[in-house]
Amino acid sequence: MMAKKLVKSSAIVFSAAGRCSVPAIVWSLAAWVLLIHAYTILFPAKTTVTEPETALKRLPMYKKLEEIEDMALDWTRKRAKNGHSTPKHRPRRNSAIDDFLNVSSPRRSIYFPDSSLAIDPLRRDATDKYFYPGRVWHDTEASPIQAHGGAVLYIPQTRTYYWYGENKDGRTFQAYKRATARVDVIGVSCYSSKDLLSWKNEGIVLAAEKNNKTHDLYTGNVLERPKVIYNDRTQQFVMWMHIDDANYTKAFVGVAASSSPIGPFHYITGGRPHGFDSRDMTLFKDDDGQAYLVYSSEENSVLHIGVLTDDYLDLKRVVRKMLVGQHREAPAVFKYRGLYYMITSGCTGWAPNTALVHSAESMFGPWDTLGNPCVGGNEDFRRTTFFSQGTFVLSLPGLHDMFIFMADRWNPHNLSDSRYVWLPLTMDGPADEPLEDDFEFPLWSRVSIHWHKKWKLPEGWDSLLSLQRS
């Protein structure tokens, strides 16, 4: 009776008409699994790769941030009283970029927060070590920092950072009716800091020429994107910059040098590199001391890469082209685990656009495009590089997998009020999918620029540098 009861209790009833034994069910399930497996081999489904921003949305912090931004940035078309959408023949709604460029936009304070929210080192609490992208950023004299389109140079001997950039503290105007907005050349500003948060104004280290109209630095010309690197051999600080006339037809690079990081820099010469026009540009100094000039050329349709001479004051003859026909500008180069990375912008004037990241095993390429590195926030933020344009990627001593992406949020109605967008750039491990037309996985890592309304570096990051030096 006991055995009979056990057998009976182990039976599974599918219907009132019959019963099926456990072994039969197990073999049936196994057969179904084999059939499904065979089907998936014969008819493979397209694999869906999780994008970085999708993974980030699972984190409560990012979800909350995205909800806030989505509520603030609502461009949905208004409905008519009859409940139907506005007819197509009426003026279309503004896109996010149109709205950003509209000085009367009700969302203006989102793009350019009120000056009452300025980052002020004189008033901030000692525990407040946050970066606030998009806010007015004051120096230690409570004046807005003027270092646009610039870069930061770190001097390990003094553990000091030097931030160089365009001083645009002047009147914004148009030279003629359809000309791009501009400010007369004032010069290159320099700021110094020990912690990347509080910046001391070291003054204008390369000043404009006010009288000689034929000089490259004449106030009526254009000076943009100054970059400074240190030459260990000559012990000189060398600055390269984009020089142009008011019509952007000159397309020069200019070179200046100084024996001190806070200047004064002495202008040496200017000209077209390798005989080509040059506009947005950057410098990159490699681990072996070799330095490179990367510049947008041939009417911004291609990027050129050239090698600086040993003293960094001129160019060697060798030049390579990259991203031919892709119309990219604002290059920012950095290196990670022996590979080279570059972030670029599209060519849309003062209007923001989508950033792209590229990578190569050599500065001379070939360079592969990896896609948009921006994650977090909402779609409009990601496709406009958070309404900004990159200018430099700052490596952090002591942190090997994290950088700072430096960008400008341009205000074409008042260029002196353009804001700084500094955000964490992380290397998030190896890429999880092969490139198009390539059966092998790439060597490079995924690059992610993370949006935050406020953020700070890891606690004790600067002390790691002290441990490395000791």
Side-chain angles (χ1 to χ4, degrees), residues 149-265:
V152 171
L153 175 67
Y154 178 68
I155 306 299
Q157 290 79 4
T158 59
R159 296 185 60 188
T160 305
Y161 299 89
Y162 294 93
W163 182 4
Y164 303 91
E166 310 159 30
N167 188 312
K168 290 188 176 295
D169 194 17
R171 181 178 66 92
T172 299
F173 67 98
Q174 291 175 288
Y176 51 93
K177 188 175 181 179
R178 295 188 177 181
T180 184
R182 57 160 290 136
V183 171
D184 277 342
V185 177
I186 297 173
V188 177
S189 297
C190 175
Y191 296 82
S192 62
S193 175
K194 296 287 188 179
D195 60 5
L196 295 174
L197 295 169
S198 299
W199 293 90
K200 175 186 176 183
N201 186 0
E202 300 289 356
I204 295 177
V205 295
L206 180 66
E209 169 58 46
K210 297 181 179 179
N211 300 314
N212 184 359
K213 293 185 178 182
T214 64
H215 198 284
D216 287 346
L217 302 182
Y218 178 63
T219 55
N221 286 339
V222 171
L223 188 162
E224 294 176 339
R225 300 192 172 268
K227 303 292 186 289
V228 177
I229 54 177
Y230 180 68
N231 190 302
D232 301 278
R233 181 177 173 182
T234 64
Q235 299 183 354
Q236 291 282 302
F237 296 87
V238 181
M239 178 189 298
W240 286 62
M241 70 214 83
H242 168 211
I243 297 293
D244 228 315
D245 54 24
N247 298 321
Y248 281 85
T249 58
K250 194 170 187 175
F252 275 20
V253 290
V255 185
S258 173
S259 58
S260 167
I262 58 174
F265 281 77

Side-chain angles (χ1 to χ4, degrees), residues 334 343 393 401-405 423-427 447-449:
F334 64 103
I343 297 175
V393 175
D401 298 325
M402 183 176 180
F403 302 77
I404 293 180
F405 174 68
L423 292 168
L425 183 155
T426 59
M427 310 304 288
V447 180
S448 299
I449 302 171

Side-chain angles (χ1 to χ4, degrees), residues 290-458:
Q290 182 66 70
Y292 300 85
L293 172 71
V294 183
Y295 58 97
S296 186
S297 189
E298 300 180 46
E299 301 298 325
N300 286 339
S301 67
V302 60
L303 287 176
H304 287 187
I305 300 178
V307 181
L308 270 59
T309 53
D310 292 343
D311 59 9
Y312 299 171
L313 301 179
D314 204 347
L315 283 164
K316 296 181 180 179
R317 291 186 177 183
V318 61
V319 61
R320 294 290 186 273
K321 296 183 180 183
M322 65 170 287
L323 307 181
V324 177
Q326 296 189 34
H327 296 272
R328 307 300 296 176
E329 64 178 12
V333 182
F334 64 103
K335 191 175 183 179
Y336 177 72
R337 295 188 178 180
L339 300 177
Y340 300 88
Y341 296 84
M342 183 185 303
I343 297 175
T344 64
S345 159
C347 301
T348 54
W350 299 117
N353 56 67
T354 305
L356 291 176
V357 62
H358 321 270
S359 186
E361 296 181 55
S362 162
M363 275 297 291
F364 284 142
W367 288 83
D368 288 305
T369 299
L370 310 184
N372 183 356
C374 298
V375 297
N378 60 32
E379 181 182 355
D380 289 315
F381 266 59
R382 293 190 293 272
R383 70 183 180 87
T384 59
T385 319
F386 313 114
F387 294 98
S388 66
Q389 183 182 40
T391 182
F392 191 70
V393 175
L394 173 62
S395 60
L396 299 167
L399 293 180
H400 300 294
D401 298 325
M402 183 176 180
F403 302 77
I404 293 180
F405 174 68
M406 297 171 51
D408 294 274
R409 182 172 291 173
W410 299 114
N411 182 355
H413 304 284
N414 181 9
L415 288 169
S416 67
D417 189 38
S418 297
R419 307 296 177 84
Y420 308 104
V421 176
W422 286 24
L423 292 168
L425 183 155
T426 59
M427 310 304 288
D428 300 327
D432 53 9
E433 59 179 320
L435 289 175
E436 214 174 297
D437 302 325
D438 192 347
F439 294 101
E440 295 183 1
F441 283 79
L443 298 173
W444 38 82
S445 301
R446 181 192 291 124
V447 180
S448 299
I449 302 171
H450 304 265
W451 169 252
H452 298 279
K453 297 185 80 172
K454 76 173 188 177
W455 67 280
K456 63 180 180 179
L457 292 167

Side-chain angles (χ1 to χ4, degrees), residues 101-115:
L101 296 173
N102 179 9
V103 71
S104 301
S105 168
R107 289 164 288 273
R108 188 74 176 170
S109 61
I110 295 175
Y111 311 123
F112 299 95
D114 189 78
S115 58

